């Protein structure tokens, strides 16, 4: 427990989120849930965590929400062990314990991870057919999968698609990924720097998962280069670059683009040109 004046703070993590970091973290988390209707009564959530900072905070936010929500829902936290060294896995588990997050650790065959975990589509969005994940979905009657993508992920992913694939494609707060399963991203409004500040505030020893993912593809290297590029544009071109990229994803003028895809069907601007 932590003394605070004449009070005793039983949960320093809850206190920091609802007090010091309320505007930057808790309020944005709740706003994202409400604005996008991400959570409904009796939802059964499965959160795919990693050892990284955003996963820790996202999981902790849901622990808090369970206490304060106006309706009932349940959530199961899973940490896929895709090849952590022993010391790093222990450190990751200890972080979850320290934050009072009950997490189930599941070993993943490296060959399955290499062939079916497509990091380019951001953490299983298009790859939920692996046996272990299906077993969890059936066991806990899951209808929504939670990931910890944040505001900066949206910017970087959007830029990566434009620069590397020649497409304007982003990640949304919610996506329907099968007839029964949605994927939700409640950290969508939260900035990475504020996640860092919360982690540093509590002096949590968070390991980097990048070194494990990069052994399968180079998406993380490209993501880091994109992050640096956006930083350079912000400093040398326009301080509003990050905000404008984020805003552009919901501010598309269909009358002024050459074509778009909807439900896997391509539409050219020429189809409506003379109408």
């Amino acid at each position: 427990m932590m003394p605070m004046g004449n009070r005793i703070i039983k949960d320093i993590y809850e206190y920091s989120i609802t007090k010091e970091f309320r505007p930057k973290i808790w309020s944005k988390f709740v706003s994202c849930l409400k604005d996008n209707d991400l959570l409904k009564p009796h939802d059964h959530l499965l959160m795919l965590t990693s050892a990284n900072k955003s996963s820790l905070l996202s999981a902790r936010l849901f622990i808090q929400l369970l206490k304060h929500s106006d309706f009932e829902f349940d959530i199961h936290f899973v940490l896929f062990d895709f090849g952590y060294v022993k010391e790093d896995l222990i450190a990751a588990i200890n972080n979850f314990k320290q934050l009072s997050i009950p997490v189930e650790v599941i070993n993943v065959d490296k060959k399955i991870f290499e062939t079916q975990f497509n990091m380019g589509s951001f953490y299983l969005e298009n790859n939920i057919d692996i046996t272990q994940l299906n077993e969890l979905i059936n066991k806990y009657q899951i209808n929504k999968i939670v990931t910890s993508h944040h505001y900066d992920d949206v910017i970087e992913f959007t830029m990566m698609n434009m620069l590397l694939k020649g497409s304007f494609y982003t990640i949304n707060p919610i996506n329907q990924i099968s007839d029964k399963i949605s994927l939700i991203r409640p950290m969508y409004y939260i900035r990475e720097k504020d996640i860092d500040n919360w982690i540093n505030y509590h002096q949590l020893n968070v390991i980097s998962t990048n070194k494990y993912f990069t052994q399968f593809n180079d998406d993380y290297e490209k993501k880091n280069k994109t992050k640096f590029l956006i930083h350079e544009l912000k400093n040398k071109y326009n301080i509003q670059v990050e905000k404008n990229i984020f805003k552009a994803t919901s501010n598309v003028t269909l009358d002024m683009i050459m074509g778009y895809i909807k439900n896997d069907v391509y539409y050219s601007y020429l189809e409506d040109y003379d109408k």
Side-chain angles (χ1 to χ4, degrees):
M1 292 186 294
M2 171 182 158
M4 187 69 66
N6 294 325
R7 296 171 293 166
I8 298 296
I9 307 301
K10 294 182 179 181
D11 190 330
I12 60 173
Y13 307 107
E14 178 171 352
Y15 184 84
S16 68
I17 289 172
T18 55
K19 299 299 179 181
E20 284 92 336
F21 293 89
R22 187 182 188 91
K24 301 288 188 179
I25 293 177
W26 180 249
S27 294
K28 290 185 177 181
F29 173 72
V30 173
S31 292
C32 186
L33 290 171
K34 291 182 177 179
D35 291 350
N36 302 283
D37 199 20
L38 300 187
L39 192 61
K40 296 182 179 180
H42 310 297
D43 271 344
H44 301 287
L45 310 179
L46 175 67
M47 181 172 176
L48 305 178
T49 72
S50 70
N52 68 18
K53 57 193 178 185
S54 56
S55 282
L56 286 171
L57 177 56
S58 182
R60 181 62 221 196
L61 287 168
F62 271 102
I63 291 294
Q64 199 150 314
L65 188 63
L66 283 168
K67 297 180 181 179
H68 302 290
S69 177
D70 295 331
F71 54 81
E72 292 185 0
F73 70 94
D74 61 70
I75 183 167
H76 190 78
F77 303 98
V78 171
L79 173 63
F80 282 119
D81 176 12
F82 45 81
Y84 291 111
V85 297
K86 183 178 180 180
E87 292 78 9
D88 286 347
L89 180 60
I90 292 173
I93 294 172
N94 285 339
N95 279 334
F96 282 104
K97 287 182 178 178
Q98 185 175 339
L99 294 170
S100 302
I101 301 165
V103 65
E104 178 180 357
V105 180
I106 297 179
N107 293 320
V108 177
D109 186 283
K110 288 187 179 182
K111 292 182 180 179
I112 295 177
F113 182 84
E114 182 175 357
T115 57
Q116 295 193 8
F117 278 49
N118 180 1
M119 297 309 298
S121 62
F122 275 86
Y123 309 112
L124 306 179
E125 181 174 349
N126 299 315
N127 297 275
I128 64 167
D129 58 336
I130 63 172
T131 302
Q132 289 153 305
L133 188 54
N134 267 340
E135 288 175 351
L136 289 168
I137 289 172
N138 293 330
K139 180 179 179 180
Y140 298 109
Q141 298 181 319
I142 299 300
N143 68 306
K144 290 178 181 175
I145 294 176
V146 183
T147 68
S148 55
H149 300 120
H150 48 71
Y151 186 105
D152 296 73
D153 285 326
V154 178
I155 299 168
E156 292 156 15
F157 187 69
T158 304
M159 283 289 287
M160 286 175 68
N161 274 290
M162 291 177 64
L163 299 176
L164 299 174
K165 298 181 180 180
S167 64
F168 189 81
Y169 179 81
T170 190
I171 50 178
N172 294 328
I174 183 168
N175 290 105
Q176 194 74 26
I177 54 179
S178 75
D179 292 340
K180 298 180 180 179
I181 307 294
S182 299
L183 187 148
I184 64 173
R185 301 180 176 94
M187 300 267 283
Y188 201 85
Y189 295 167
I190 300 176
R191 296 303 307 260
E192 185 175 16
K193 63 182 179 181
D194 296 316
I195 298 172
D196 289 335
N197 289 338
W198 186 81
I199 292 292
N200 293 333
Y201 179 84
H202 290 292
Q203 299 180 337
L204 295 171
N205 181 25
V206 180
I207 68 172
S208 172
T209 55
N210 291 18
K211 59 184 178 182
Y212 301 99
F213 289 134
T214 50
Q215 61 186 302
F216 303 113
N217 59 61
D218 63 349
D219 277 0
Y220 265 101
E221 181 182 354
K222 291 175 182 175
K223 188 172 186 291
N224 287 333
K225 289 181 178 179
T226 305
K227 184 190 294 287
F228 177 77
L229 173 62
I230 293 170
H231 179 74
E232 288 291 289
L233 288 171
K234 177 182 176 182
N235 290 337
K236 297 180 180 180
Y237 181 69
N238 184 349
I239 196 171
Q240 297 294 323
V241 159
E242 294 166 317
K243 180 180 178 181
N244 288 341
I245 295 172
F246 189 91
K247 183 180 179 181
T249 64
S250 58
N251 195 25
V252 179
T253 304
L254 291 181
D255 291 337
M256 300 300 293
I257 61 174
M258 296 290 289
Y260 63 94
I261 298 171
K262 185 174 183 179
N263 297 326
D264 294 325
V265 177
Y266 179 80
Y267 296 89
S268 167
Y269 84 102
L270 292 172
E271 295 180 31
D272 296 320
Y273 181 73
D274 292 327
K275 296 180 181 179

